[in-house]
Amino acid sequence: MPERYRSIIDVHVILPRGDEILLLERQGTGYCDGMLHLPSGHLDEGEPIPHGAAREAREEVGVTIDPADLSLVAVVHHRQNPDLARVGMFFLAEKWSGEPVVAEPDKAGKLVWADPRVLPWNTIPYPAEGIQAWVSGDRFALHGWPTA
């Protein structure tokens, strides 16, 4: 009997400040360096999804978020390539403690506050799709899948 399909779960955190959200410029990772992304990462084995999102925000931008304060605002089924798909869970954190900083300077160059309705040109398309789904209220989006 074939093994059941399994997917990588990504967690993304939207940190708003006024009419803007926080993005990080990737650097030194080999994946989309020079482009912008939300604080995000992979879910660890045995970790509840909101806890993973809070952990990634702490690791990447140094803020502390109670997982109970995260609201799931969008899900994106992202096809990275023909052999790899992932599920992105996008959380809104309207409450956190600490001031955002580049907490992993080996992976991020700078922080950028941006209007989520008009994202910078160099925002990675996958997180941009999740941000757009949140802004539009769609809550679910497909990204990278054939349309026909």
Side-chain angles (χ1 to χ4, degrees):
M1 178 176 262
E3 190 172 321
R4 288 182 183 244
Y5 174 78
R6 295 174 191 249
S7 185
I8 296 169
I9 304 295
D10 297 324
V11 289
H12 306 259
V13 181
I14 300 168
L15 295 167
R17 181 181 75 181
D19 291 336
E20 298 177 314
I21 62 170
L22 183 66
L23 300 171
L24 296 115
E25 181 186 57
R26 295 184 61 88
Q27 78 173 19
T29 67
Y31 172 74
C32 294
D33 290 336
M35 297 185 76
L36 302 174
H37 202 296
L38 292 166
S40 63
H42 308 110
L43 189 65
D44 287 345
E45 181 68 35
E47 183 177 45
I49 292 172
H51 291 76
R55 175 185 51 75
E56 286 291 349
R58 183 180 65 256
E59 290 175 0
E60 293 196 359
V61 295
V63 299
T64 301
I65 303 170
D66 182 336
D69 290 332
L70 290 167
S71 301
L72 181 64
V73 295
V75 175
V76 175
H77 194 196
H78 169 64
R79 187 174 187 206
Q80 190 161 333
N81 61 53
D83 298 330
L84 178 63
R86 9 176 27 101
V87 176
M89 312 295 280
F90 288 76
F91 288 92
L92 180 65
E94 295 187 276
K95 193 167 127 183
W96 71 83
S97 62
E99 185 62 28
V101 297
V102 175
E104 294 179 317
D106 57 321
K107 296 180 182 176
K110 64 182 174 181
L111 302 179
V112 175
W113 291 95
D115 182 338
R117 295 172 304 277
V118 185
L119 291 169
W121 67 271
N122 60 335
T123 304
I124 298 171
Y126 168 31
E129 190 74 37
I131 294 165
Q132 182 181 359
W134 163 60
V135 168
S136 68
D138 287 341
R139 299 229 179 222
F140 177 75
L142 292 173
H143 182 260
W145 294 91
T147 55

